[in-house]
Amino acid sequence: MTATTETIGSTIEPGPGLEALHHWVDQVASLTEPDHVVWCSGSEVENRALLTEMVAAGSLIALEQGLRPDSFLARSDPADVARVEDRTFICSATEADAGPTNNWREPDVMRTELTARFRGAMRGRTLYVVPFSMGPVGGAISQVGVQITDSPYVVVSTRIMTRMGADALAQIGPDTVWVPALHTVGMPLVDDDGTRIPDVPWPSNSTKTIAHFPETREIWSYGSGYGGNALLAKKCFALRIASSMARADGWLAEHMLLIRVTTPTGKVLHVAAAFPSACGKTNFAMMTPTLPGWKVETIGDDIAWLRPGADGRLWAINPEAGFFGVAPGTGPDTNPAAMTTVHSNTIFTNVAMTHDGDVWWEGASEEPPRHLIDWRGRPWEPGSVTPAAHPNARFTVAADQCPTISDDWDSPDGVPIDAIVFGGRRATNVPLVAEAEDWEHGVFFGSTISSEQTAAAEGPVGELRLDPFAMQPFCGYNMADHWAHWLEIGDRLGSKAPRVFRVNWFRKSSDGGYLWPGFGENVRVLEWIAGRLDGSADVDWSPIGGLPAVGALDLVGLDLDGFALDELFAVDPAAWSAEAEQLRAHFDRFGDRVPARLQARLDQLVRRLRDKALAEKTRSGLSGFR
């Protein structure tokens, strides 16, 4: 079968340096045997044609224009609803280079296995060639990739999430490094005997594999049409492959949000923050501050690329152009900016649909509407035992629709980073905010990010789930080498390195209630951080880092009693000593690849806790004697 080559709405002109790209496309087309090959231009005509085609095929449902303009609903196959971490592989040259937190496969073995799976995988379908830029086209920190896919859903989503199309393609010249990303849903429409097979609204395959080849900077994804499994520009490129590129080339690719903070005096700060899932990352990125005169603007909600600049400072971009956000839990109280963002021009996946053609999910309103159609397409009423929207339901929307978007969010040169914040979901131990002593201590903060198990079904309550730098599922090489790379970046930045902090919005009292109100009140922590940067805020140094001095944190208007405040910043030597032993076991997983400087920081923490415990015991004894 010979595929026809075409475009929709405009023409892609072959340019110098595209010979390697055309050769790759020809190779993939020969292997996968599509009916058609389409080079995507990113034009509005092309986008509209694909959306119309998917609506006609039943892959998308057009929402009511008057309620949700130019928006669509997709329902995935129930077996294709999330990342498949157990089927995600780093195919580095050696297993040690992948490290203990990654699944590893020998590259040649994986390539042979996937080549067999891809053979004929696009029969009856269209092969789309999708060029894209991660970061502003031509930007100082930007990178280029090309995805081949047989999913029009991936094409229209990639147009939202990246700078996709002819402008990105024009960046590829004879010496350009570009990342090839190959994807198929794994459901051909013609079998080996030539018999046509009926299509389905959400094609996928029960066998799923996402493979990354760091040395050759390739991505191969088979069998899934969902999220980061199929939108290969996202976690696969922007984190797993990019982190490996960054290590080799002297920059950082991180699972971080980016915000611009303006103080009441007009001073502007840029902050990067790394939080694991379910730790308030998107809410922080789109914060509505409660303190008068403060302004927080969004640059990115998920991924940051950071590179030392010519001025010796650390500069960052959001490499994405859109948000792929979790819908459940997003609402007018928790994140009003996100609710405004998704008013129009949005693709929703696995949310519920109202009887009048709008969408709904748990948290979108206080009371659920009656007579919903759930994410599986079945009738749903309030009180049903199953949720109306899948817990991992998503919205895909352009970043520039966000009302809190910063005017420098897509600056080609990026923005200079003043502070880096790490956080986790901790009911105990970790204070509301702490400052690292220096960059090295900050890397120790990042290497020990953790959240506590919160229910018996997830494991023993209080057991730590370590997620270093919020990158455990996303680092494309050995995590301990990642920590060493951070130390090297700090050595290069020297005195111009950003200050580092750790936060925890989720500390609880003994009765199980949250001690801190969170959301817009988190600006009070940003206020203290800003004060530390300009020297106006006082600090008390503890064994685990610098804590706000008494009176340094603005608590006016908050209903916090003295006990709650003490609990928010309590550092219990016994509890922290037990945690230090868990951190020791965490480091031991990586053997001798853990930087000696971080091992020394852990030893220092243990000594300081021992000294604090001894001092408290001495004070207690003296008090009893008196």
Side-chain angles (χ1 to χ4, degrees):
M1 180 182 296
T2 302
T4 61
T5 301
E6 56 194 78
T7 60
I8 304 173
S10 64
T11 302
I12 295 288
E13 296 292 341
L18 291 182
E19 292 83 359
L21 174 56
H22 279 278
H23 179 65
W24 178 59
V25 172
D26 290 344
Q27 282 186 314
V28 173
S30 177
L31 175 67
T32 59
E33 303 176 26
D35 281 1
H36 310 283
V37 174
V38 170
W39 288 69
C40 294
S41 66
S43 70
E44 180 60 27
V45 171
E46 173 186 85
N47 186 56
R48 287 289 164 187
L50 290 171
L51 292 169
T52 300
E53 171 190 317
M54 284 187 282
V55 170
S59 299
L60 291 179
I61 299 170
L63 299 173
E64 173 55 43
Q65 184 72 11
L67 298 173
R68 199 71 63 165
D70 298 316
S71 297
F72 301 86
L73 169 64
R75 295 187 181 121
S76 79
D77 186 287
D80 193 22
V81 295
R83 290 195 308 268
V84 284
E85 301 296 349
D86 63 327
R87 298 298 304 161
T88 300
F89 299 92
I90 301 298
C91 303
S92 50
T94 69
E95 186 172 4
D97 288 340
T101 58
N102 283 315
N103 299 316
W104 178 79
R105 289 287 298 278
E106 198 280 323
D108 289 342
V109 172
M110 178 60 84
R111 206 180 294 277
T112 299
E113 178 182 313
L114 287 175
T115 298
R117 284 200 202 149
F118 271 84
R119 185 166 288 112
M122 296 187 187
R123 288 179 192 149
R125 297 194 180 277
T126 296
L127 180 157
Y128 299 97
V129 183
V130 188
F132 59 89
S133 174
M134 300 303 291
V137 174
I141 311 178
S142 300
Q143 301 286 339
V144 183
V146 181
Q147 178 164 349
I148 289 177
T149 182
D150 54 4
S151 167
Y153 172 89
V154 167
V155 178
V156 297
S157 297
T158 301
R159 185 176 185 267
I160 295 172
M161 293 301 301
T162 72
R163 285 83 170 175
M164 184 271 273
D167 289 345
L169 186 66
Q171 294 297 303
I172 299 178
D175 300 319
T176 305
V177 174
W178 53 276
V179 171
L182 177 55
H183 167 254
T184 178
V185 296
M187 185 183 167
L189 297 178
V190 178
D191 67 17
D192 292 341
D193 298 327
T195 304
R196 301 288 302 190
I197 301 168
D199 205 352
V200 295
W202 188 276
S204 59
N205 193 297
S206 58
T207 299
K208 297 174 174 62
T209 302
I210 298 92
H212 309 74
F213 299 84
E215 283 83 8
T216 53
R217 299 178 177 178
E218 296 173 77
I219 307 160
W220 292 51
S221 174
Y222 178 91
S224 174
Y226 196 91
N229 303 334
L231 306 179
L232 303 186
K234 196 163 177 59
K235 306 298 192 192
C236 293
F237 180 174
L239 288 179
R240 297 190 186 100
I241 291 296
S243 63
S244 182
M245 296 170 67
R247 181 192 178 198
D249 298 337
W251 50 285
L252 298 164
E254 300 297 322
H255 189 208
M256 285 180 160
L257 64 90
L258 292 171
I259 55 175
R260 171 177 169 159
V261 181
T262 305
T263 73
T265 62
K267 184 173 182 179
V268 173
L269 308 170
H270 292 97
V271 178
F275 300 159
S277 300
C279 292
K281 184 171 57 172
T282 300
N283 292 339
F284 191 65
M286 300 181 186
M287 183 194 303
T288 302
T290 57
L291 290 181
W294 284 82
K295 186 176 183 180
V296 174
E297 296 170 280
T298 311
I299 297 175
D301 76 324
D302 193 39
I303 298 172
W305 288 357
L306 309 97
R307 185 191 300 269
D311 63 353
R313 301 179 67 189
L314 191 63
W315 289 70
I317 64 167
N318 168 15
E320 300 186 294
F323 304 135
F324 182 65
V326 176
T330 302
D333 294 329
T334 60
N335 197 331
M339 295 299 285
T340 301
T341 303
V342 300
H343 171 70
S344 61
N345 302 296
T346 303
I347 297 175
F348 298 93
T349 304
N350 290 344
V351 299
M353 186 174 179
T354 66
H355 72 281
D356 55 356
D358 199 2
V359 290
W360 187 86
W361 52 84
E362 281 72 13
S365 62
E366 189 171 339
E367 296 294 331
R370 299 188 64 82
H371 311 304
L372 291 172
I373 302 297
D374 74 6
W375 70 277
R376 293 174 180 258
R378 304 178 303 196
W380 187 94
E381 295 287 346
S384 295
V385 296
T386 57
H390 188 275
N392 194 41
R394 297 280 179 156
F395 53 79
T396 309
V397 63
D400 59 11
Q401 289 191 191
C402 180
T404 61
I405 201 73
S406 172
D407 60 10
D408 60 2
W409 83 275
D410 61 349
S411 169
D413 295 327
V415 297
I417 299 302
D418 299 286
I420 291 173
V421 176
F422 295 111
R425 179 179 284 267
R426 296 296 305 274
T428 62
N429 271 24
V430 179
L432 175 65
V433 59
E435 180 182 358
E437 297 170 357
D438 50 32
W439 180 270
E440 181 181 280
H441 193 211
V443 176
F444 179 74
F445 276 7
S447 68
T448 57
I449 288 180
S450 62
S451 294
E452 288 170 351
Q453 305 287 13
T454 57
E458 297 177 346
V461 172
E463 180 177 310
L464 296 190
R465 184 179 71 251
L466 276 298
D467 189 354
F469 285 82
M471 281 284 284
Q472 182 147 303
F474 308 123
C475 190
Y477 59 98
N478 191 301
M479 184 66 74
D481 294 343
H482 178 250
W483 307 338
H485 182 51
W486 266 78
L487 292 172
E488 291 165 0
I489 292 291
D491 292 341
R492 180 175 169 186
L493 295 170
S495 62
K496 293 186 177 181
R499 301 271 279 278
V500 183
F501 300 81
R502 175 166 56 190
V503 299
N504 174 30
W505 320 127
F506 303 99
R507 193 156 183 172
K508 292 183 177 181
S509 63
S510 57
D511 63 5
Y514 288 113
L515 292 165
W516 182 250
F519 301 111
E521 302 294 359
N522 294 336
V523 70
R524 298 171 187 267
V525 172
L526 284 176
E527 181 185 42
W528 183 75
I529 289 174
R532 290 300 300 151
L533 297 182
D534 66 18
S536 64
D538 292 333
V539 64
D540 286 335
W541 291 99
S542 78
I544 65 167
L547 308 179
V550 174
L553 193 67
D554 183 355
L555 302 175
V556 175
L558 293 185
D559 185 21
L560 282 180
D561 57 28
F563 172 79
L565 191 59
D566 288 344
E567 283 295 295
L568 274 171
F569 292 102
V571 177
D572 177 29
W576 266 98
S577 294
E579 180 159 329
E581 291 307 306
Q582 292 177 284
L583 297 180
R584 184 83 65 191
H586 165 57
F587 279 1
D588 286 347
R589 291 185 66 192
F590 301 93
D592 59 7
R593 293 181 93 123
V594 176
R597 292 153 71 180
L598 296 187
Q599 292 281 17
R601 285 287 179 173
L602 181 55
D603 294 339
Q604 179 190 65
L605 173 63
V606 171
R607 289 194 304 271
R608 287 175 171 177
L609 292 168
R610 185 167 56 240
D611 292 345
K612 178 178 172 62
L614 181 60
E616 290 182 354
K617 184 176 180 181
T618 300
R619 283 197 298 271
S620 176
L622 290 174
S623 175
F625 177 78
R626 290 194 182 103

